[in-house]
């Protein structure tokens, strides 16, 4: 029995929900209710008898989105024992590989390496290669990840190599994959790549998993890369029941392999596909939607659709220009403080987006000055903190004794006198005797060149680990974590540190996570717990109940929404980023990023920039982002600081800042207008960027072609207006 409220659907949503099986493309504009459509479609397929719950697989990109879909489905389907499989791409692939990875010579307890551990393995590969002119480890890792996103094996990469360096990287790629297989480990990209290799090379395994995806639904299809595209087509090949949902206007991950052509060319891949457009936005005001639409319409790589909303008109989009990044940050913090005080908003209702992480510093300092609680999404993850990673290294070796990278970290936390030479001996013994590094650690006393004290320390650690490993299958995960923290000596070793309490609290938080896992999972063990941790992403850090304002890059903004949104740094070279300047495709990606940020706002949207910004130790003048010029001026309220009145402790935005436009003339300013071209006897040609003050004290900020930004008193400046 289902609880579908069909009256909640608009006509476009209704048509998409009740479409017959087969290839379906749902173009879902920002805030158009795509999660509701996805979950209702799944529920309808079950209710109509077109599919059993166990025949349905829905995949998306974040744990947050998957959890939301599962929660909504549980409210629609009464029989909670038969809930469809809803997962992220990576979690789904991990499940397939846990079950069938032996066909690729991996056992089910393989480790999932994070970026730092992957880089450590690559460095080992480079050290062992012992060859001149080796590329940097970071470059090798980036090129390998790119190859995996494009479904290129080491041999294919070698065949396509252009020049010696490409050929060398292809060789290193092959060595890296061999090392991972020896460690029974995969990196994040391997979860997708190895699943594709498995299903492509093992037809009988593919047929089995196709049964679990007889109805396949893919969310955020515009963000799929080549290997995800191939996996979706492969799983849906037997039935062609592939329903994809996405919005090419929100494709913002090209830098990590996403291919916008996957969604743009869906109808080429499936000529008989049914296409539905969800164009009604339920999130934002009319003004915000119109402003965002006026930006994105300048892209050429997009489908024909028009976002609209029945919501109220709302306030104009505020466009603020500060003199420096500090003034910009003070404005942002000041507005947050004002709105919290005047309109009963909470800090959690605000988000500040920026293009690069370096922009957060000035904003954080301004929020601290006003005592506004905040947190930075995408900073150091909880699971990347040193003491947490130290404890996890023990757990990973317990789950996978072949994980040499984790063993390397484990033996030094706390220090046991097991150094580099001893680790080399462990590695050599493991290779020689075809045993795991953990077992090799227990046999060090048989090696003459290892100090007896070191060998005994290693043997004691091994004995305890092996004993715990034997008891582990009958223990809750929390008990395992608690024993490791205590018996390893890790918790006690933190006492000597000045921030011992904070670090111990992090270990306690890991214990709490293990308790929650035990409560939520019947039959889930340590391997599943470690997998959940490995697949946590930046968006999963966002705790909407934390009561703090959010700071994050625009790339982290997908899938989120806030009452009040600030986008800082709307300047050429920053947003759009300087790296995109020479490519129209890159500019279109930056424009989509701007569109995504703007459409996160429900009620108020602020766009800010500066006249000058310090970057890489040098202060340079700034030019407004081209995206600002694409917004209809009637939708904007342009403001700037009024220099001759106090900024703090005033009740309203209109009393702290003045409206201005490029045609505004300064009083007694000799006719010098903002935006005018002028000549100075010393500094040469320039453009007036701001005029402030009154009467004989009037000053102008002028951006000179050669001398940069200067503040001049007009009475003494001898500026001469010149024609363009």
């Amino acid at each position: 029995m289902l609880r579908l409220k069909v009256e909640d659907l608009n006509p476009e949503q209704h048509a998409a929900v009740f479409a017959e099986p087969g290839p379906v493309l749902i173009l879902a504009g920002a805030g158009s209710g795509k999660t509701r459509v996805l979950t209702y479609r799944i529920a309808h397929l079950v209710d109509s008898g077109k599919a059993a719950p166990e025949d349905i697989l829905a995949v998306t990109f974040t744990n947050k989105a998957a959890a939301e879909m599962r929660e909504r489905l549980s409210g629609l389907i009464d029989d909670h024992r038969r809930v469809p499989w809803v997962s992220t791409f990576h979690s789904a692939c991990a499940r397939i590989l846990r079950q069938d990875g032996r066909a690729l010579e991996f056992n089910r307890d393989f480790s999932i390496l994070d970026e730092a551990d992957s880089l450590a393995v690559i460095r080992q590969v480079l050290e062992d290669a012992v060859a001149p002119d080796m590329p940097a480890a970071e470059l090798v890792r980036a090129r390998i990840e790119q190859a995996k996103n494009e479904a290129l094996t080491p041999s294919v990469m070698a065949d396509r190599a252009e020049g010696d360096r490409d050929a060398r990287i292809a060789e290193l790629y092959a060595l890296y994959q061999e090392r991972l297989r020896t460690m029974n480990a995969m990196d994040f990209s391997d979860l997708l790549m190895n699943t594709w290799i498995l299903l492509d090379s093992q037809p009988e395994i593919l047929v089995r998993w196709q049964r679990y995806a007889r109805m396949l639904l893919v969310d955020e299809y515009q963000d799929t890369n080549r290997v995800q595209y191939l996996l979706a087509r492969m799983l849906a090949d037997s039935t062609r029941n592939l329903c994809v949902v996405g919005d090419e206007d929100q494709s913002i991950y090209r830098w990590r392999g996403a291919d916008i052509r996957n969604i743009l060319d869906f109808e080429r891949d499936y000529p008989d596909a049914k296409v539905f457009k969800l164009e009604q936005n339920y999130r934002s005001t009319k003004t915000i939607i119109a402003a965002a639409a006026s930006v994105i319409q300048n892209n050429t790589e997009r489908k024909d659709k028009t976002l609209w909303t029945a919501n109220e008109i709302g306030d104009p989009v505020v466009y603020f220009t500060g003199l420096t990044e500090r003034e910009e940050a003070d404005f942002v913090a000041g507005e947050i403080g004002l709105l919290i005080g005047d309109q009963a908003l909470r800090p959690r209702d605000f988000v500040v987006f920026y293009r690069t992480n370096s922009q957060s510093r000035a904003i954080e300092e301004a929020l601290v000055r006003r005592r506004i609680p905040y947190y930075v999404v995408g900073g150091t993850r909880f699971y990347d903190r040193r003491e947490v990673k130290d404890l996890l290294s023990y757990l990973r070796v317990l789950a996978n004794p072949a994980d040499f990278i984790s063993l390397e970290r484990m033996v030094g936390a706390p220090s046991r006198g097991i150094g580099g030479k001893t680790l080399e001996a462990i590695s050599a013994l493991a290779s020689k005797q075809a045993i795991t590094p953990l077992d090799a650690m227990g046999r060090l006393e048989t090696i003459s060149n290892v100090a007896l004290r070191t060998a005994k320390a290693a043997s004691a650690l091994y004995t305890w680990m092996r004993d715990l490993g034997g008891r582990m299958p009958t223990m809750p995960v929390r008990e395992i974590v608690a024993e490791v923290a205590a018996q390893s000596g890790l918790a006690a070793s933190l006492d000597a540190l000045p921030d011992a309490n904070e670090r111990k609290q992090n270990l306690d938080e890991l214990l709490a996570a293990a308790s929650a896992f035990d409560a939520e999972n019947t039959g889930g063990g340590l391997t599943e717990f470690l997998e959940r941790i490995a697949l946590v992403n930046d968006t999963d850090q966002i705790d909407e109940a934390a009561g703090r304002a959010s700071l994050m890059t625009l790339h982290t903004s997908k899938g989120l929404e806030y009452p009040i949104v600030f986008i800082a740094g709307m300047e050429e070279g920053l947003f759009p980023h300087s790296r995109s300047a020479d490519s129209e495709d890159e500019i279109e990606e930056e424009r989509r990023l701007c569109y995504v940020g703007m459409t996160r706002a429900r009620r108020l949207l602020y766009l800010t920039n500066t006249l000058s910004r310090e970057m890489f130790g040098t202060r340079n003048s700034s030019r407004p982002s081209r995206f600002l010029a694409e917004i209809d001026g009637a939708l904007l309220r342009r403001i700037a600081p009024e220099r001759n009145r106090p900024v703090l402790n005033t009740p309203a935005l209109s009393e702290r800042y003045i409206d201005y436009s490029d045609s505004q003339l300064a009083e007694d300013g000799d006719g010098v207008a903002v935006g005018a071209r002028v000549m100075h006897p010393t500094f040469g040609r320039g453009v007036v960027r701001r005029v402030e003050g009154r009467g004989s004290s009037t000053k102008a900020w002028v951006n000179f072609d050669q001398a940069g930004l200067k503040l001049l008193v007009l009475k003494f400046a001898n500026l001469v207006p010149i024609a363009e």
Side-chain angles (χ1 to χ4, degrees), residues 16-24 41 44-45 48-51 214-215 239-243 272 274:
V17 165
F18 292 95
E20 288 298 305
V24 173
R41 179 166 173 77
H44 164 67
L45 290 171
S48 64
K50 293 181 171 67
R214 200 168 69 80
M215 296 288 179
T239 64
R240 300 181 78 253
N241 292 328
L242 174 61
C243 173
D272 57 334
K274 304 175 187 70

Side-chain angles (χ1 to χ4, degrees), residues 265-467:
D265 294 341
F266 187 82
E267 294 157 271
R268 180 203 64 189
D269 293 340
Y270 299 94
D272 57 334
K274 304 175 187 70
V275 181
F276 303 93
K277 297 179 182 179
L278 308 184
E279 298 174 297
Q280 182 177 358
N281 176 283
Y282 293 91
R283 176 188 302 154
S284 308
T285 65
K286 284 184 171 68
T287 298
I288 291 170
I289 291 301
S294 66
V295 172
I296 199 62
Q297 69 183 5
N298 291 279
N299 272 10
T300 59
E301 291 285 332
R302 62 190 303 262
K303 297 279 190 177
D304 180 27
K305 63 182 184 301
T306 303
L307 203 61
W308 65 277
T309 183
N311 295 340
E312 63 181 358
I313 293 175
D315 293 338
V317 175
V318 175
Y319 167 19
F320 171 84
T321 299
L323 177 61
T324 66
E325 62 271 21
R326 172 161 180 150
E327 190 171 271
E328 176 189 45
D330 283 341
F331 169 76
V332 171
E335 283 302 294
I336 293 174
L338 253 174
L339 291 168
I340 289 173
D342 288 356
Q343 303 188 35
L345 291 165
R346 300 158 294 179
R348 61 179 280 189
D349 295 324
F350 297 84
V351 66
V352 185
F353 294 133
Y354 36 77
R355 181 63 179 80
T356 65
N357 281 307
S358 62
Q359 292 172 251
S360 74
R361 180 191 59 80
I363 298 167
E364 289 185 67
E365 291 173 355
L367 292 171
V368 169
R369 285 194 293 272
R370 293 186 179 260
R371 298 183 179 179
I372 296 170
Y374 73 92
Y375 69 114
V376 180
V377 179
T380 302
R381 297 189 321 150
F382 171 77
Y383 293 112
D384 287 336
R385 293 170 187 170
R386 192 185 77 184
E387 61 279 0
V388 175
K389 285 205 72 171
D390 287 343
L391 182 49
L392 289 174
S393 67
Y394 285 88
L395 301 178
R396 285 168 57 173
V397 173
L398 282 168
N400 175 22
D403 187 345
F404 184 74
I405 287 292
S406 294
L407 184 140
E408 230 180 347
R409 185 180 189 109
M410 177 190 79
V411 297
S415 176
R416 296 178 172 83
I418 301 175
K421 290 186 177 179
T422 306
L423 286 166
E424 288 177 7
I426 290 172
S427 179
L429 185 62
S431 178
K432 180 180 179 181
Q433 298 189 7
I435 56 177
T436 69
L438 180 62
D439 287 333
M441 190 174 71
R443 302 182 188 182
L444 282 181
E445 291 181 77
T446 63
I447 302 177
S448 58
N449 62 346
V450 175
L452 182 60
R453 187 173 65 177
T454 300
K456 286 186 175 180
S459 179
L461 178 59
Y462 166 79
T463 300
W464 164 64
M465 293 277 288
R466 271 302 178 196
D467 173 66

Side-chain angles (χ1 to χ4, degrees), residues 391 394-395 398 464-465 468 479-491:
L391 182 49
Y394 285 88
L395 301 178
L398 282 168
W464 164 64
M465 293 277 288
L468 176 56
E479 283 188 19
I480 300 170
V481 176
E483 179 170 337
V484 169
Q487 296 300 318
S488 67
L490 177 59

